[in-house]
Amino acid sequence: MQFSDIYRDKKVFVTGHTGFKGTWLISWLHLLGAQVKGYSLAPQNPFDLYHIMEGDKMCDSVISDIMDGERLKQELLEFEPDFVFHLAAQPLVRLSYDIPVETFAVNAVGTANVLDALRFLKNPCVAVFITTDKVYHNIESNYYYKEDDRLGGFDPYSASKACAELVIDSYRNSFFNLIKFEEHKKSISVTRAGNVIGGGDWAKDRIIPDIVRALSTGKEVLVRNPAAVRPWQHVMEPVGGYLMLGARQYNEPKKFAQAFNFGPDKEDNLTVKEVVQKAIDVWGTGIFHTPEQLEVPHEAGLLQLDIQKAKTELGWKPKLNANQAILETINWYKHYFKDQSSIKEFTFQTIQAFDGK
């Protein structure tokens, strides 16, 4: 595997390890031979991917709140990690309208807690902070956002992630300034990924889980924003990007301590309607509809990422086009409903096949 020389036998601290992307990350790190310690809230459901993958066997799992700064600092400092991947977050746009204060606290102050713990870590460390494509001040025009574009956010989730980016930038300047790198030995980067799809996501109000829940029970798929355009990508694309960035930072910590977008190629920015129809085609049956009068909170109608920097500077590029990403995703769920006993091995095989592309 392309990261084996970097991550094998290294200590990797992952926040949000019990979540959807977090479980894919620790599964990949497990295959790479890393020693992983996770810090996160407990999975919400018995069918969550973390349980399916037997996550407790792949890491030292600490079930605790990212808002508990002292516990977080204690666990991180005791572990003395070589790498930190910060994924813990309140990740849902629509939920952020219901719990805006908690969303701001978890996403901004929680990020500050991780950064503050790193201040007291004595050994060198690479830290990759995962935010979102929604951190950009989105004017919803036919524009592809670059890493140095203005940050902002309409909804509480997007704004809270933009706040997190300001926190990261402040700590990077104040405590982990590259001018004094030889003193602190901390390399801090930021990643912004597009709309991620993949097997094992059961979150409420996400399009793929909504599709799967409907199709698996013979119901119509309810589509809220059929014309909305998003940068869709399979979960292994950004997770592979995080690992690649961490590896690059390990070798050249000052050069890669910056922000990177991970998204699809331009031709793979699809509407929600297109994604739903392609998913139904792969599933083999099903229909969808959009109610004529559906009151929903504001969500961006158009969002696109420029990924040229990641291509040029990291050597990263998408491996799956949109059709392949949807195919991989829906096939995972079909396998899950057909034979849950082998889904763990199926997931490992998916990672290995992707890494070998």
Side-chain angles (χ1 to χ4, degrees):
M1 289 189 172
Q2 59 182 312
F3 310 116
S4 58
D5 292 339
I6 299 296
Y7 291 101
R8 185 170 301 282
D9 298 323
K10 296 294 194 306
K11 294 182 178 181
V12 185
F13 190 89
V14 179
T15 72
H17 70 292
T18 63
F20 164 56
K21 278 204 294 185
T23 302
W24 278 92
L25 176 59
I26 66 170
S27 297
W28 202 333
L29 286 166
H30 175 74
L31 292 174
L32 294 172
Q35 181 183 345
V36 180
K37 184 173 187 176
Y39 186 100
S40 180
L41 296 176
Q44 294 182 333
N45 305 295
F47 52 80
D48 282 346
L49 184 62
Y50 184 80
H51 290 312
I52 293 171
M53 295 302 294
E54 298 180 295
D56 287 350
K57 295 182 180 180
M58 297 190 290
C59 68
D60 174 11
S61 179
V62 177
I63 300 302
S64 189
D65 196 330
I66 198 72
M67 298 303 295
D68 187 345
E70 286 303 313
R71 176 73 185 279
L72 173 65
K73 182 168 72 172
Q74 174 191 341
E75 296 293 345
L76 189 146
L77 297 183
E78 285 182 355
F79 189 54
E80 298 181 330
D82 302 296
F83 295 88
V84 171
F85 290 91
H86 174 50
L87 287 80
Q90 192 299 91
L92 301 175
V93 172
R94 296 190 74 196
L95 181 59
S96 76
Y97 283 102
D98 296 330
I99 53 169
V101 174
E102 182 179 338
T103 298
F104 278 102
V106 170
N107 293 347
V109 180
T111 296
N113 285 340
V114 177
L115 287 157
D116 211 58
L118 285 169
R119 284 204 297 135
F120 300 92
L121 184 65
K122 302 300 183 183
N123 56 281
C125 185
V126 165
V128 180
F129 285 77
I130 286 76
T131 61
T132 174
D133 58 339
K134 296 176 180 62
V135 297
Y136 293 110
H137 179 73
N138 187 4
I139 59 176
E140 299 198 39
S141 68
N142 189 25
Y143 178 79
Y144 292 80
Y145 291 95
K146 301 179 179 65
E147 287 82 354
D148 57 357
D149 281 326
R150 177 184 170 187
L151 302 182
F154 183 105
D155 57 87
Y157 168 74
S158 302
S160 72
K161 283 296 197 174
C163 289
E165 293 254 7
L166 294 177
V167 171
I168 295 166
D169 192 55
S170 174
Y171 266 83
R172 188 161 44 192
N173 288 327
S174 301
F175 306 108
F176 308 121
N177 199 297
L178 293 179
I179 295 174
K180 296 184 177 181
F181 177 79
E182 296 306 321
E183 296 178 22
H184 58 75
K185 298 290 182 69
K186 307 297 185 299
S187 177
I188 312 295
S189 68
V190 174
T191 68
R192 303 160 186 165
N195 276 46
V196 174
I197 63 176
D201 185 6
W202 302 103
K204 183 180 179 182
D205 294 327
R206 281 190 185 148
I207 189 62
I208 292 295
D210 286 349
I211 292 171
V212 170
R213 277 189 287 266
L215 296 182
S216 64
T217 55
K219 298 178 181 178
E220 292 185 353
V221 180
L222 174 64
V223 181
R224 297 191 305 272
N225 299 300
V229 176
R230 295 287 187 274
W232 308 95
Q233 59 186 326
H234 193 276
V235 63
M236 290 184 293
E237 303 280 22
V239 169
Y242 307 156
L243 290 169
M244 179 177 284
L245 176 56
R248 296 286 189 269
Q249 283 178 257
Y250 186 81
N251 288 325
E252 297 181 81
K254 291 196 286 185
K255 179 178 179 181
F256 292 103
Q258 50 184 302
F260 289 90
N261 288 340
F262 295 114
D265 287 317
K266 291 182 178 180
E267 60 269 21
D268 286 318
N269 289 295
L270 304 177
T271 66
V272 170
K273 179 179 178 180
E274 289 173 317
V275 170
V276 173
Q277 187 58 61
K278 290 177 184 294
I280 289 174
D281 291 343
V282 176
W283 190 269
T285 185
I287 57 175
F288 70 90
H289 76 285
T290 300
E292 293 183 5
Q293 293 183 334
L294 182 64
E295 292 186 10
V296 294
H298 174 272
E299 293 185 67
L302 177 62
L303 180 56
Q304 301 172 123
L305 287 179
D306 186 307
I307 58 172
Q308 190 57 45
K309 182 180 178 182
K311 287 182 174 181
T312 303
E313 298 187 21
L314 288 179
W316 175 92
K317 64 179 180 180
K319 294 183 178 182
L320 304 175
N321 61 34
N323 288 333
Q324 292 169 324
I326 295 168
L327 177 65
E328 289 275 1
T329 298
I330 299 303
N331 278 344
W332 188 97
Y333 288 102
K334 290 173 71 174
H335 189 100
Y336 171 83
F337 285 110
K338 181 181 179 181
D339 183 13
Q340 292 184 27
S341 66
S342 64
I343 195 65
K344 177 181 178 180
E345 185 58 33
F346 181 81
T347 305
F348 280 141
Q349 290 172 357
T350 300
I351 295 172
Q352 291 169 322
F354 179 85
D355 195 41
K357 287 184 181 292

